Amino acid sequence: MPTLILTAKDVKELIDMPEVIEVVEKAFADWANGKAAMPPKAYVQVERGDFRAMPAAIPGGAGLKWVNVHPDNPSRNLPTVMAILIYNDPSTGYPLAIMDATELTAYRTGAAAAVASKYLARRDSRTLGLIGAGRQAHTQLMAHLSLFDLQEVRAYDRSPAATDRLIKAFPKTRIRAASLADAAESDIVCTVTPAHEPVLMKEHVRPGTHVNAIGADAAGKEELDPSILNNAVVVVDEIVQASRSGEINVPVSKGLFKVESIFATLGDIVSGKKVFERRPSAVTVFDSTGVAIEDVATAKLIYERARAEERYHAVDMVEA
Ligand SMILES: NC(=O)c1ccc[n+]([C@@H]2O[C@H](COP(=O)([O-])OP(=O)(O)OC[C@H]3O[C@@H](n4cnc5c(N)ncnc54)[C@H](O)[C@@H]3O)[C@@H](O)[C@H]2O)c1
């Protein structure tokens, strides 16, 4: 049996945001119900960035993503985040596919945030604020457009060129460049910067706002004023990962936020194990570090579509 080789171009042609949202939501429920396996991701630090190894098994699929984060890369005309994923048959271990997972990462990150917004944000949310307008902001927007009837999107980035690129990429969406305070005055706010100190401050956040804190995914990174967390319902994707490398990692290390104050994991909410009844004025925060079940669920989708549509290159990787 051949191993499929799926390039970035192949993956871009095969991936579809509404489907990714569906499988990511299911992966969180499966995991909460004990049907998936996932150790916390392992980090390898290097001078200009870091690498992460992210393995997981879900019903019908297993895999490992090897991904970097190098914040200076845009100045070298390279993406900050690039990834390769090995996708295996869990029953035999056979390597079914090796695929570029750069686009997959951006899609599943957007999808996870949109799933969090579906369960935590006000149902009548009509405005989206993007703080940071780089690569991940594009898929945050795409995912939220799939689930919400957005009347306006406000984008803030310290680089006006990044905001311009985002606006040009969504010609049919009502999206405009905004100040930080203006973007933060939205029903749903996604923070997607590589910041190491708070960008979004308590005074920016109105009652009733849902915040997806996406950018902090390694120790020392933080985008939110810790006092936002202390007055919010905080949901994380994975407790150990979030405490070590998510939005809460710096406040936890400084004693400004307690792990016990986490309300639930997203899996607990999606599976119904923990019920969240939103008060209209509550502020909710989803702390996303990015988990391997999201990657493997998306890889399974891409692999199955590639096979069904016979759109792939293949190699005999293993000598049977
Ligand atoms: N949670 C997850 O699952 C997940 C997944 C992928 C990436 N990430 C993280 O998301 C962050 C963004 O990734 P990306 O691929 O979009 O990077 P990117 O370099 O493409 O975009 C980041 C943008 O943030 C802007 N920015 C930086 N500091 C800012 C500040 N203080 N205020 C306003 N804007 C600022 C930059 O100008 C840039 O446009 C990174 O920290 C990355 O590690 C998280």
Side-chain angles (χ1 to χ4, degrees):
M1 189 164 59
T3 299
L4 274 49
I5 304 291
L6 300 170
T7 64
K9 183 170 175 291
D10 296 329
V11 172
K12 273 186 196 155
E13 286 169 9
L14 292 163
I15 203 162
D16 173 64
M17 184 56 93
E19 288 178 355
V20 177
I21 293 172
E22 229 172 86
V23 298
V24 164
E25 180 170 353
K26 180 168 183 311
F28 273 105
D30 283 341
W31 185 41
N33 289 322
K35 294 185 195 161
M38 179 175 64
K41 58 179 139 178
Y43 285 82
V44 178
Q45 206 67 42
V46 290
E47 203 179 320
R48 288 175 175 273
D50 64 70
F51 294 93
R52 297 124 199 235
M54 303 177 64
I58 58 166
L64 167 73
K65 186 173 82 170
W66 179 238
V67 54
N68 78 297
V69 178
H70 282 65
D72 299 338
N73 271 3
S75 63
R76 300 162 181 204
N77 285 328
L78 281 173
T80 303
V81 178
M82 294 173 281
I84 299 283
L85 188 144
I86 303 170
Y87 177 68
N88 304 78
D89 179 342
S91 60
T92 60
Y94 197 89
L96 297 171
I98 298 173
M99 64 183 78
D100 178 86
T102 309
E103 194 75 353
L104 179 156
T105 298
Y107 268 68
R108 64 70 148 150
T109 305
V115 171
S117 298
K118 173 178 164 183
Y119 286 89
L120 301 174
R122 294 198 323 270
R123 278 173 195 211
D124 61 352
S125 294
R126 292 285 175 271
T127 51
L128 176 72
L130 295 166
I131 297 176
R135 181 67 202 89
Q136 308 305 320
H138 288 239
T139 41
Q140 291 292 316
L141 174 51
M142 211 185 273
H144 282 86
L145 285 170
S146 298
L147 291 192
F148 291 87
D149 178 17
L150 296 177
Q151 311 285 300
E152 188 178 64
V153 180
R154 302 156 189 165
Y156 164 73
D157 193 297
R158 66 182 181 190
S159 151
T163 313
D164 277 356
R165 276 194 297 275
L166 179 70
I167 293 172
K168 287 201 178 97
F170 290 86
K172 293 185 190 147
T173 303
R174 219 175 138 209
I175 173 169
R176 62 175 171 82
S179 66
L180 170 61
D182 193 6
E185 264 196 30
S186 303
D187 299 329
I188 301 172
V189 176
C190 301
T191 58
V192 261
T193 75
H196 281 74
E197 53 192 53
V199 179
L200 185 67
M201 306 310 288
K202 185 164 186 290
E203 58 271 22
H204 293 134
V205 180
R206 290 185 313 179
T209 306
H210 171 63
V211 180
N212 289 309
I214 307 299
D217 58 354
K221 284 171 133 182
E222 107 179 287
E223 297 182 289
L224 271 51
D225 175 351
S227 57
I228 296 174
L229 299 172
N230 282 315
N231 292 291
V233 176
V234 177
V235 172
V236 303
D237 52 13
E238 206 276 332
I239 291 176
V240 175
Q241 246 180 234
S243 334
R244 289 181 188 162
S245 57
E247 182 56 46
I248 63 171
N249 89 85
V250 176
V252 165
S253 70
K254 290 182 179 166
L256 298 174
F257 183 80
K258 289 194 171 54
V259 175
E260 301 79 60
S261 303
I262 295 169
F263 175 73
T265 64
L266 186 58
D268 285 339
I269 303 254
V270 169
S271 65
K273 287 191 158 184
K274 190 105 188 202
V275 176
F276 171 61
E277 279 172 24
R278 168 173 257 296
R279 278 183 297 110
S281 63
V283 171
T284 47
V285 174
F286 172 53
D287 177 352
S288 160
T289 56
V291 285
I293 49 167
E294 299 164 353
D295 298 309
V296 176
T298 309
K300 182 169 184 286
L301 186 72
I302 291 167
Y303 169 75
E304 286 169 358
R305 171 158 290 184
R307 281 211 82 104
E309 296 185 8
E310 296 183 359
R311 284 190 353 198
Y312 53 79
H313 317 274
V315 292
D316 289 321
M317 184 74 75
V318 175
E319 266 188 6

